């Protein structure tokens, strides 16, 4: 709706069916209407701009009544509150009347209140794009008004220097102060706990360090959809730095060989060097542990690792240990030292003057199932009991295991024999003496004599182990007799 005001003193305005026209029959209006928006605030101007105040403005005039252009009704006063433009008129615009006032139309404009924005711009990674939260600064809203802030600008990963902007308010009675309509924001890492549990593992004793596989269970509390991902999907993991340690009787070691039960735990490590490639989390490792390693006796006799005893093979006139061949008795040695289609087992790397009890203590097997015979076939040890004077079992001088002695025990219902070979003890008495030196010199000079020897004696004669017996082997034994050397040097 348009209003026209003329300066011609002989013409006026007439409203006819809502349209404004010239009324040349009238003279120039001289009357003024007082327009009020409070009891004390008034004007004779045709428009006024007011700030939004959160409560009503009461619009009155000096007339008994006037019309609201929008509502097309007449009242003595009108209440307005919200931001917008409101027009009032002294006559009903829908009826033809002569306008006799200088200021017949009064327009009120209520402008939005400018408010500052407060930001919460320190966010924590949550797996999803996120924006900082924004709200109208405390004290900015009037009365019980409610106003929310719309924000543009988001980020997902941990970082700083991201930018967000307030782009709108839910209450049109307010507008954003441009000085506070944007902010930098940061996303800090989420706290992530990784639980590492050790699993129960069982092994049969084999004289070697136990190597664990699949011994860990790793869980985590990642956020969002990442909670369902594997730990490998979240991080680059250096598993070489996650190593086990074993505790038995209060003593913790990095490796295990012997029979027993050991608590398995993870050796503490530098988290940042194990879990890398994902800066969205601060990682804490919780060593749950809880697993047990059980090393049990095998169903065959195997020597302790500490003893240095080993099973031997005669190969190309050399003594070769199982360790060098990657063999384990009872696992993969069914085709060694075969005679007449049957494997024969020889245990060597036994020092001279080894007492019977010392020898037995270094066998990983139930002692009550072992029988030991000397080279003449006389039983010396019978399933946990001495078959000779008990004191002799610990002597190490008058009764010691020797080349040609043998062990018998029941394996899978059959009797297995293991023949012993004591290095340097070629005459089979368990000691080394001048007679062994003499015998070795004879063997070195007489190949036929060497060929006639039993396998265990051939193994015992190969001190230097160069492929054939020489006088040098005899000289080494002589030095051992004279206590200038120890036979352990040649295992």
């Amino acid at each position: 709706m348009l209003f026209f005001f003329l300066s011609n003193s002989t013409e006026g305005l007439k409203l006819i069916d809502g349209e404004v026209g010239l009324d040349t029959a009238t003279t120039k209006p001289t009357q003024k209407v007082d327009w009020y928006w409070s009891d004390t605030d008034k004007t004779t101007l045709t428009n006024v701009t007011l700030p939004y105040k959160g409560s009503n403005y009461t619009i009155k005039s000096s007339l008994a009544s006037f019309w609201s252009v929008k509502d097309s009704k007449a009242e003595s006063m009108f209440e307005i509150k919200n931001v917008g433009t409101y027009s009032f008129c002294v006559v009903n615009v829908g009826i033809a009347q002569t306008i006799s006032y200088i200021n017949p139309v009064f327009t009120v404009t209520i402008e939005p209140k400018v408010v500052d924005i407060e930001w919460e711009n320190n966010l924590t990674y949550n797996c999803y794009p996120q924006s900082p939260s924004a709200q109208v600064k405390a004290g900015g809203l009037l009365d019980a008004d409610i106003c929310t802030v719309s924000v543009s600008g988001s980020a997902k990963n941990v970082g700083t220097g991201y930018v967000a902007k307030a782009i709108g308010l839910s209450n049109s009675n307010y507008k954003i102060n441009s000085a506070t309509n944007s902010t930098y924001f940061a996303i800090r890492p989420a706290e992530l706990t990784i639980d590492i549990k050790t699993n129960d593992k069982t092994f049969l004793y084999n004289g070697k360090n136990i190597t664990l596989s699949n011994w860990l269970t790793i869980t985590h509390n990642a956020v969002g959809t990442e909670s369902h991902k594997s730990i490998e999907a979240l991080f680059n993991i250096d598993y070489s730095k996650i190593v086990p340690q074993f505790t038995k009787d209060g003593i913790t070691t990095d490796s295990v060989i012997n029979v027993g039960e050991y608590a398995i735990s993870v050796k503490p490590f530098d988290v940042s060097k194990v879990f890398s490639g994902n800066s969205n989390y601060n990682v804490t490792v919780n060593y749950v542990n809880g697993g047990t390693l059980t090393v049990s006796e095998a169903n065959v006799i195997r020597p302790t690792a500490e003893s240095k005893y080993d099973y031997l093979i005669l190969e190309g006139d050399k003594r070769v240990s199982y360790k060098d061949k990657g063999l384990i008795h009872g696992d993969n040695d069914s085709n060694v030292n075969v005679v007449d289609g049957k494997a024969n087992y020889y245990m060597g790397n036994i020092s001279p003057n080894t007492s019977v009890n010392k020898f037995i203590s270094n066998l990983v097997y139930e002692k009550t199932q072992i029988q030991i015979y000397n080279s003449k076939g006389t039983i010396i040890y019978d399933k946990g009991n001495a078959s000779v004077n008990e004191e002799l079992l610990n002597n190490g001088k008058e009764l010691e295991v020797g080349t040609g002695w043998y062990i018998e025990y029941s394996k899978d219902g059959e009797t297995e024999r293991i023949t012993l070979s004591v290095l340097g003890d070629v005459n089979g008495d368990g000691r080394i003496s001048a007679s062994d030196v003499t015998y070795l010199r004879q063997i070195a000079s007489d190949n036929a004599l060497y060929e006639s020897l039993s396998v265990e004696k051939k193994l015992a004669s190969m001190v230097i182990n160069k492929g054939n017996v020489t006088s040098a082997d005899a000289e080494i034994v002589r030095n051992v007799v004279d206590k200038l050397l120890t036979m352990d040097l040649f295992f």
Side-chain angles (χ1 to χ4, degrees), residues 60-90:
K60 297 180 182 180
S61 77
S62 55
L63 303 175
S65 66
F66 59 96
W67 289 79
S68 165
V69 173
K70 177 181 178 182
D71 299 329
S72 202
K73 67 178 181 178
E75 298 284 354
S76 62
M77 68 177 67
F78 290 93
E79 301 284 350
I80 61 174
K81 175 182 177 181
N82 293 323
V83 166
T85 299
Y86 304 84
S87 294
F88 305 94
C89 185
V90 297

PDB file of all heavy atoms in Angstrom, residues 60-90:
ATOM      1  N   LYS A  60      -0.811   3.959  20.138  1.00  0.00           N
ATOM      2  CA  LYS A  60      -2.030   4.763  20.327  1.00  0.00           C
ATOM      3  C   LYS A  60      -1.954   5.974  19.410  1.00  0.00           C
ATOM      4  O   LYS A  60      -0.900   6.269  18.814  1.00  0.00           O
ATOM      5  CB  LYS A  60      -2.149   5.227  21.769  1.00  0.00           C
ATOM      6  CG  LYS A  60      -2.285   4.113  22.799  1.00  0.00           C
ATOM      7  CD  LYS A  60      -2.385   4.714  24.200  1.00  0.00           C
ATOM      8  CE  LYS A  60      -2.466   3.624  25.271  1.00  0.00           C
ATOM      9  NZ  LYS A  60      -2.558   4.198  26.633  1.00  0.00           N
ATOM     10  N   SER A  61      -3.057   6.679  19.356  1.00  0.00           N
ATOM     11  CA  SER A  61      -3.084   7.939  18.608  1.00  0.00           C
ATOM     12  C   SER A  61      -3.941   8.951  19.366  1.00  0.00           C
ATOM     13  O   SER A  61      -4.607   8.605  20.356  1.00  0.00           O
ATOM     14  CB  SER A  61      -3.635   7.731  17.195  1.00  0.00           C
ATOM     15  OG  SER A  61      -5.043   7.594  17.228  1.00  0.00           O
ATOM     16  N   SER A  62      -3.920  10.181  18.880  1.00  0.00           N
ATOM     17  CA  SER A  62      -4.732  11.224  19.511  1.00  0.00           C
ATOM     18  C   SER A  62      -6.190  11.141  19.103  1.00  0.00           C
ATOM     19  O   SER A  62      -7.025  11.912  19.587  1.00  0.00           O
ATOM     20  CB  SER A  62      -4.152  12.597  19.152  1.00  0.00           C
ATOM     21  OG  SER A  62      -4.060  12.748  17.752  1.00  0.00           O
ATOM     22  N   LEU A  63      -6.513  10.173  18.258  1.00  0.00           N
ATOM     23  CA  LEU A  63      -7.878   9.932  17.848  1.00  0.00           C
ATOM     24  C   LEU A  63      -8.508   8.893  18.756  1.00  0.00           C
ATOM     25  O   LEU A  63      -7.818   8.111  19.403  1.00  0.00           O
ATOM     26  CB  LEU A  63      -7.921   9.463  16.390  1.00  0.00           C
ATOM     27  CG  LEU A  63      -7.289  10.404  15.354  1.00  0.00           C
ATOM     28  CD1 LEU A  63      -7.311   9.753  13.986  1.00  0.00           C
ATOM     29  CD2 LEU A  63      -7.995  11.746  15.338  1.00  0.00           C
ATOM     30  N   ALA A  64      -9.777   8.871  18.746  1.00  0.00           N
ATOM     31  CA  ALA A  64     -10.473   7.885  19.583  1.00  0.00           C
ATOM     32  C   ALA A  64     -10.186   6.471  19.129  1.00  0.00           C
ATOM     33  O   ALA A  64     -10.100   5.544  19.945  1.00  0.00           O
ATOM     34  CB  ALA A  64     -11.980   8.169  19.559  1.00  0.00           C
ATOM     35  N   SER A  65     -10.015   6.313  17.839  1.00  0.00           N
ATOM     36  CA  SER A  65      -9.658   5.002  17.279  1.00  0.00           C
ATOM     37  C   SER A  65      -8.941   5.205  15.958  1.00  0.00           C
ATOM     38  O   SER A  65      -9.036   6.274  15.350  1.00  0.00           O
ATOM     39  CB  SER A  65     -10.902   4.130  17.082  1.00  0.00           C
ATOM     40  OG  SER A  65     -11.757   4.683  16.101  1.00  0.00           O
ATOM     41  N   PHE A  66      -8.279   4.183  15.519  1.00  0.00           N
ATOM     42  CA  PHE A  66      -7.563   4.198  14.239  1.00  0.00           C
ATOM     43  C   PHE A  66      -7.461   2.758  13.754  1.00  0.00           C
ATOM     44  O   PHE A  66      -7.790   1.810  14.467  1.00  0.00           O
ATOM     45  CB  PHE A  66      -6.195   4.866  14.376  1.00  0.00           C
ATOM     46  CG  PHE A  66      -5.288   4.203  15.367  1.00  0.00           C
ATOM     47  CD1 PHE A  66      -4.330   3.274  14.964  1.00  0.00           C
ATOM     48  CD2 PHE A  66      -5.401   4.509  16.735  1.00  0.00           C
ATOM     49  CE1 PHE A  66      -3.503   2.674  15.890  1.00  0.00           C
ATOM     50  CE2 PHE A  66      -4.566   3.893  17.660  1.00  0.00           C
ATOM     51  CZ  PHE A  66      -3.617   2.984  17.253  1.00  0.00           C
ATOM     52  N   TRP A  67      -6.989   2.652  12.567  1.00  0.00           N
ATOM     53  CA  TRP A  67      -7.036   1.337  11.909  1.00  0.00           C
ATOM     54  C   TRP A  67      -5.629   0.719  11.808  1.00  0.00           C
ATOM     55  O   TRP A  67      -4.648   1.407  11.591  1.00  0.00           O
ATOM     56  CB  TRP A  67      -7.609   1.480  10.503  1.00  0.00           C
ATOM     57  CG  TRP A  67      -9.068   1.794  10.501  1.00  0.00           C
ATOM     58  CD1 TRP A  67      -9.658   2.988  10.726  1.00  0.00           C
ATOM     59  CD2 TRP A  67     -10.108   0.853  10.256  1.00  0.00           C
ATOM     60  NE1 TRP A  67     -11.026   2.919  10.665  1.00  0.00           N
ATOM     61  CE2 TRP A  67     -11.333   1.582  10.355  1.00  0.00           C
ATOM     62  CE3 TRP A  67     -10.162  -0.506   9.975  1.00  0.00           C
ATOM     63  CZ2 TRP A  67     -12.579   0.993  10.179  1.00  0.00           C
ATOM     64  CZ3 TRP A  67     -11.410  -1.098   9.782  1.00  0.00           C
ATOM     65  CH2 TRP A  67     -12.606  -0.355   9.899  1.00  0.00           C
ATOM     66  N   SER A  68      -5.603  -0.637  11.938  1.00  0.00           N
ATOM     67  CA  SER A  68      -4.394  -1.406  11.610  1.00  0.00           C
ATOM     68  C   SER A  68      -4.504  -1.809  10.158  1.00  0.00           C
ATOM     69  O   SER A  68      -5.488  -2.460   9.753  1.00  0.00           O
ATOM     70  CB  SER A  68      -4.281  -2.659  12.487  1.00  0.00           C
ATOM     71  OG  SER A  68      -3.324  -3.556  11.949  1.00  0.00           O
ATOM     72  N   VAL A  69      -3.550  -1.397   9.365  1.00  0.00           N
ATOM     73  CA  VAL A  69      -3.584  -1.723   7.939  1.00  0.00           C
ATOM     74  C   VAL A  69      -3.564  -3.237   7.729  1.00  0.00           C
ATOM     75  O   VAL A  69      -4.291  -3.776   6.896  1.00  0.00           O
ATOM     76  CB  VAL A  69      -2.401  -1.056   7.207  1.00  0.00           C
ATOM     77  CG1 VAL A  69      -2.336  -1.520   5.763  1.00  0.00           C
ATOM     78  CG2 VAL A  69      -2.536   0.466   7.281  1.00  0.00           C
ATOM     79  N   LYS A  70      -2.776  -3.934   8.513  1.00  0.00           N
ATOM     80  CA  LYS A  70      -2.644  -5.386   8.347  1.00  0.00           C
ATOM     81  C   LYS A  70      -3.930  -6.098   8.733  1.00  0.00           C
ATOM     82  O   LYS A  70      -4.409  -6.990   8.022  1.00  0.00           O
ATOM     83  CB  LYS A  70      -1.476  -5.900   9.195  1.00  0.00           C
ATOM     84  CG  LYS A  70      -1.307  -7.408   9.154  1.00  0.00           C
ATOM     85  CD  LYS A  70      -0.155  -7.850  10.037  1.00  0.00           C
ATOM     86  CE  LYS A  70      -0.033  -9.366  10.025  1.00  0.00           C
ATOM     87  NZ  LYS A  70       1.052  -9.842  10.925  1.00  0.00           N
ATOM     88  N   ASP A  71      -4.502  -5.701   9.869  1.00  0.00           N
ATOM     89  CA  ASP A  71      -5.678  -6.412  10.385  1.00  0.00           C
ATOM     90  C   ASP A  71      -6.985  -5.851   9.837  1.00  0.00           C
ATOM     91  O   ASP A  71      -8.041  -6.474   9.989  1.00  0.00           O
ATOM     92  CB  ASP A  71      -5.699  -6.344  11.911  1.00  0.00           C
ATOM     93  CG  ASP A  71      -4.470  -6.999  12.524  1.00  0.00           C
ATOM     94  OD1 ASP A  71      -3.961  -7.942  11.909  1.00  0.00           O
ATOM     95  OD2 ASP A  71      -4.033  -6.540  13.599  1.00  0.00           O
ATOM     96  N   SER A  72      -6.896  -4.675   9.281  1.00  0.00           N
ATOM     97  CA  SER A  72      -8.079  -4.025   8.714  1.00  0.00           C
ATOM     98  C   SER A  72      -9.206  -3.901   9.738  1.00  0.00           C
ATOM     99  O   SER A  72     -10.357  -4.262   9.497  1.00  0.00           O
ATOM    100  CB  SER A  72      -8.551  -4.795   7.468  1.00  0.00           C
ATOM    101  OG  SER A  72      -9.314  -3.978   6.634  1.00  0.00           O
ATOM    102  N   LYS A  73      -8.825  -3.395  10.905  1.00  0.00           N
ATOM    103  CA  LYS A  73      -9.810  -3.171  11.946  1.00  0.00           C
ATOM    104  C   LYS A  73      -9.398  -1.947  12.751  1.00  0.00           C
ATOM    105  O   LYS A  73      -8.226  -1.565  12.785  1.00  0.00           O
ATOM    106  CB  LYS A  73      -9.964  -4.381  12.847  1.00  0.00           C
ATOM    107  CG  LYS A  73      -8.748  -4.691  13.688  1.00  0.00           C
ATOM    108  CD  LYS A  73      -9.017  -5.889  14.583  1.00  0.00           C
ATOM    109  CE  LYS A  73      -7.798  -6.187  15.461  1.00  0.00           C
ATOM    110  NZ  LYS A  73      -8.073  -7.319  16.371  1.00  0.00           N
ATOM    111  N   ALA A  74     -10.392  -1.367  13.414  1.00  0.00           N
ATOM    112  CA  ALA A  74     -10.148  -0.161  14.184  1.00  0.00           C
ATOM    113  C   ALA A  74     -10.187  -0.467  15.679  1.00  0.00           C
ATOM    114  O   ALA A  74     -11.020  -1.226  16.156  1.00  0.00           O
ATOM    115  CB  ALA A  74     -11.190   0.898  13.856  1.00  0.00           C
ATOM    116  N   GLU A  75      -9.223   0.105  16.372  1.00  0.00           N
ATOM    117  CA  GLU A  75      -9.146  -0.048  17.826  1.00  0.00           C
ATOM    118  C   GLU A  75      -8.624   1.262  18.402  1.00  0.00           C
ATOM    119  O   GLU A  75      -8.067   2.119  17.686  1.00  0.00           O
ATOM    120  CB  GLU A  75      -8.208  -1.184  18.214  1.00  0.00           C
ATOM    121  CG  GLU A  75      -8.618  -2.557  17.725  1.00  0.00           C
ATOM    122  CD  GLU A  75      -9.759  -3.165  18.512  1.00  0.00           C
ATOM    123  OE1 GLU A  75     -10.168  -2.552  19.538  1.00  0.00           O
ATOM    124  OE2 GLU A  75     -10.265  -4.228  18.113  1.00  0.00           O
ATOM    125  N   SER A  76      -8.744   1.379  19.720  1.00  0.00           N
ATOM    126  CA  SER A  76      -8.186   2.565  20.375  1.00  0.00           C
ATOM    127  C   SER A  76      -6.687   2.420  20.599  1.00  0.00           C
ATOM    128  O   SER A  76      -5.994   3.418  20.828  1.00  0.00           O
ATOM    129  CB  SER A  76      -8.895   2.801  21.715  1.00  0.00           C
ATOM    130  OG  SER A  76      -8.679   1.695  22.580  1.00  0.00           O
ATOM    131  N   MET A  77      -6.197   1.161  20.533  1.00  0.00           N
ATOM    132  CA  MET A  77      -4.752   0.909  20.666  1.00  0.00           C
ATOM    133  C   MET A  77      -4.425  -0.467  20.072  1.00  0.00           C
ATOM    134  O   MET A  77      -5.306  -1.318  19.935  1.00  0.00           O
ATOM    135  CB  MET A  77      -4.312   0.953  22.140  1.00  0.00           C
ATOM    136  CG  MET A  77      -4.857  -0.203  22.967  1.00  0.00           C
ATOM    137  SD  MET A  77      -4.266  -0.178  24.659  1.00  0.00           S
ATOM    138  CE  MET A  77      -5.060   1.309  25.260  1.00  0.00           C
ATOM    139  N   PHE A  78      -3.150  -0.650  19.738  1.00  0.00           N
ATOM    140  CA  PHE A  78      -2.688  -1.944  19.233  1.00  0.00           C
ATOM    141  C   PHE A  78      -1.393  -2.316  19.951  1.00  0.00           C
ATOM    142  O   PHE A  78      -0.568  -1.438  20.243  1.00  0.00           O
ATOM    143  CB  PHE A  78      -2.451  -1.889  17.715  1.00  0.00           C
ATOM    144  CG  PHE A  78      -3.704  -1.772  16.914  1.00  0.00           C
ATOM    145  CD1 PHE A  78      -4.172  -0.510  16.544  1.00  0.00           C
ATOM    146  CD2 PHE A  78      -4.421  -2.900  16.535  1.00  0.00           C
ATOM    147  CE1 PHE A  78      -5.333  -0.376  15.803  1.00  0.00           C
ATOM    148  CE2 PHE A  78      -5.589  -2.775  15.785  1.00  0.00           C
ATOM    149  CZ  PHE A  78      -6.043  -1.532  15.422  1.00  0.00           C
ATOM    150  N   GLU A  79      -1.228  -3.603  20.202  1.00  0.00           N
ATOM    151  CA  GLU A  79       0.001  -4.102  20.840  1.00  0.00           C
ATOM    152  C   GLU A  79       0.873  -4.766  19.769  1.00  0.00           C
ATOM    153  O   GLU A  79       0.407  -5.658  19.031  1.00  0.00           O
ATOM    154  CB  GLU A  79      -0.334  -5.136  21.923  1.00  0.00           C
ATOM    155  CG  GLU A  79      -1.226  -4.618  23.039  1.00  0.00           C
ATOM    156  CD  GLU A  79      -0.471  -3.735  24.023  1.00  0.00           C
ATOM    157  OE1 GLU A  79       0.774  -3.691  23.945  1.00  0.00           O
ATOM    158  OE2 GLU A  79      -1.123  -3.056  24.841  1.00  0.00           O
ATOM    159  N   ILE A  80       2.097  -4.344  19.682  1.00  0.00           N
ATOM    160  CA  ILE A  80       3.063  -4.992  18.765  1.00  0.00           C
ATOM    161  C   ILE A  80       4.335  -5.313  19.544  1.00  0.00           C
ATOM    162  O   ILE A  80       4.690  -4.605  20.483  1.00  0.00           O
ATOM    163  CB  ILE A  80       3.368  -4.107  17.543  1.00  0.00           C
ATOM    164  CG1 ILE A  80       3.992  -2.780  17.971  1.00  0.00           C
ATOM    165  CG2 ILE A  80       2.121  -3.909  16.692  1.00  0.00           C
ATOM    166  CD1 ILE A  80       4.458  -1.927  16.809  1.00  0.00           C
ATOM    167  N   LYS A  81       4.999  -6.406  19.107  1.00  0.00           N
ATOM    168  CA  LYS A  81       6.185  -6.849  19.856  1.00  0.00           C
ATOM    169  C   LYS A  81       7.335  -7.285  18.953  1.00  0.00           C
ATOM    170  O   LYS A  81       8.474  -6.859  19.133  1.00  0.00           O
ATOM    171  CB  LYS A  81       5.806  -8.014  20.780  1.00  0.00           C
ATOM    172  CG  LYS A  81       6.983  -8.638  21.510  1.00  0.00           C
ATOM    173  CD  LYS A  81       6.527  -9.810  22.360  1.00  0.00           C
ATOM    174  CE  LYS A  81       7.706 -10.492  23.042  1.00  0.00           C
ATOM    175  NZ  LYS A  81       7.293 -11.664  23.865  1.00  0.00           N
ATOM    176  N   ASN A  82       7.042  -8.131  18.000  1.00  0.00           N
ATOM    177  CA  ASN A  82       8.107  -8.783  17.248  1.00  0.00           C
ATOM    178  C   ASN A  82       8.665  -7.912  16.132  1.00  0.00           C
ATOM    179  O   ASN A  82       8.024  -6.946  15.684  1.00  0.00           O
ATOM    180  CB  ASN A  82       7.599 -10.097  16.658  1.00  0.00           C
ATOM    181  CG  ASN A  82       7.283 -11.108  17.744  1.00  0.00           C
ATOM    182  OD1 ASN A  82       7.982 -11.188  18.751  1.00  0.00           O
ATOM    183  ND2 ASN A  82       6.201 -11.871  17.563  1.00  0.00           N
ATOM    184  N   VAL A  83       9.850  -8.266  15.709  1.00  0.00           N
ATOM    185  CA  VAL A  83      10.529  -7.554  14.636  1.00  0.00           C
ATOM    186  C   VAL A  83       9.653  -7.564  13.379  1.00  0.00           C
ATOM    187  O   VAL A  83       9.047  -8.574  13.020  1.00  0.00           O
ATOM    188  CB  VAL A  83      11.897  -8.200  14.350  1.00  0.00           C
ATOM    189  CG1 VAL A  83      12.472  -7.697  13.022  1.00  0.00           C
ATOM    190  CG2 VAL A  83      12.868  -7.905  15.485  1.00  0.00           C
ATOM    191  N   GLY A  84       9.561  -6.398  12.742  1.00  0.00           N
ATOM    192  CA  GLY A  84       8.781  -6.273  11.521  1.00  0.00           C
ATOM    193  C   GLY A  84       8.355  -4.842  11.298  1.00  0.00           C
ATOM    194  O   GLY A  84       8.734  -3.924  12.047  1.00  0.00           O
ATOM    195  N   THR A  85       7.533  -4.626  10.262  1.00  0.00           N
ATOM    196  CA  THR A  85       7.020  -3.296   9.925  1.00  0.00           C
ATOM    197  C   THR A  85       5.498  -3.304  10.087  1.00  0.00           C
ATOM    198  O   THR A  85       4.810  -4.196   9.555  1.00  0.00           O
ATOM    199  CB  THR A  85       7.398  -2.914   8.491  1.00  0.00           C
ATOM    200  OG1 THR A  85       8.823  -2.885   8.383  1.00  0.00           O
ATOM    201  CG2 THR A  85       6.834  -1.540   8.130  1.00  0.00           C
ATOM    202  N   TYR A  86       4.975  -2.353  10.819  1.00  0.00           N
ATOM    203  CA  TYR A  86       3.545  -2.257  11.131  1.00  0.00           C
ATOM    204  C   TYR A  86       3.042  -0.878  10.671  1.00  0.00           C
ATOM    205  O   TYR A  86       3.672   0.147  10.972  1.00  0.00           O
ATOM    206  CB  TYR A  86       3.300  -2.412  12.625  1.00  0.00           C
ATOM    207  CG  TYR A  86       3.856  -3.699  13.202  1.00  0.00           C
ATOM    208  CD1 TYR A  86       5.198  -3.782  13.591  1.00  0.00           C
ATOM    209  CD2 TYR A  86       3.040  -4.807  13.367  1.00  0.00           C
ATOM    210  CE1 TYR A  86       5.711  -4.951  14.128  1.00  0.00           C
ATOM    211  CE2 TYR A  86       3.548  -5.996  13.914  1.00  0.00           C
ATOM    212  CZ  TYR A  86       4.886  -6.064  14.296  1.00  0.00           C
ATOM    213  OH  TYR A  86       5.390  -7.216  14.830  1.00  0.00           O
ATOM    214  N   SER A  87       1.917  -0.868   9.984  1.00  0.00           N
ATOM    215  CA  SER A  87       1.341   0.398   9.509  1.00  0.00           C
ATOM    216  C   SER A  87      -0.044   0.607  10.110  1.00  0.00           C
ATOM    217  O   SER A  87      -0.852  -0.338  10.224  1.00  0.00           O
ATOM    218  CB  SER A  87       1.230   0.391   7.977  1.00  0.00           C
ATOM    219  OG  SER A  87       2.514   0.361   7.398  1.00  0.00           O
ATOM    220  N   PHE A  88      -0.318   1.866  10.465  1.00  0.00           N
ATOM    221  CA  PHE A  88      -1.592   2.247  11.067  1.00  0.00           C
ATOM    222  C   PHE A  88      -2.126   3.471  10.311  1.00  0.00           C
ATOM    223  O   PHE A  88      -1.360   4.317   9.840  1.00  0.00           O
ATOM    224  CB  PHE A  88      -1.428   2.558  12.543  1.00  0.00           C
ATOM    225  CG  PHE A  88      -0.785   1.407  13.294  1.00  0.00           C
ATOM    226  CD1 PHE A  88       0.591   1.370  13.504  1.00  0.00           C
ATOM    227  CD2 PHE A  88      -1.565   0.355  13.759  1.00  0.00           C
ATOM    228  CE1 PHE A  88       1.175   0.325  14.181  1.00  0.00           C
ATOM    229  CE2 PHE A  88      -0.981  -0.700  14.435  1.00  0.00           C
ATOM    230  CZ  PHE A  88       0.402  -0.726  14.649  1.00  0.00           C
ATOM    231  N   CYS A  89      -3.453   3.607  10.242  1.00  0.00           N
ATOM    232  CA  CYS A  89      -4.061   4.661   9.433  1.00  0.00           C
ATOM    233  C   CYS A  89      -5.288   5.226  10.156  1.00  0.00           C
ATOM    234  O   CYS A  89      -5.975   4.494  10.873  1.00  0.00           O
ATOM    235  CB  CYS A  89      -4.471   4.099   8.064  1.00  0.00           C
ATOM    236  SG  CYS A  89      -5.090   5.331   6.921  1.00  0.00           S
ATOM    237  N   VAL A  90      -5.567   6.488   9.905  1.00  0.00           N
ATOM    238  CA  VAL A  90      -6.694   7.125  10.592  1.00  0.00           C
ATOM    239  C   VAL A  90      -8.026   6.719   9.995  1.00  0.00           C
ATOM    240  O   VAL A  90      -9.074   6.932  10.591  1.00  0.00           O
ATOM    241  CB  VAL A  90      -6.555   8.656  10.566  1.00  0.00           C
ATOM    242  CG1 VAL A  90      -5.315   9.094  11.304  1.00  0.00           C
ATOM    243  CG2 VAL A  90      -6.542   9.184   9.129  1.00  0.00           C
TER     244      VAL A  90
END
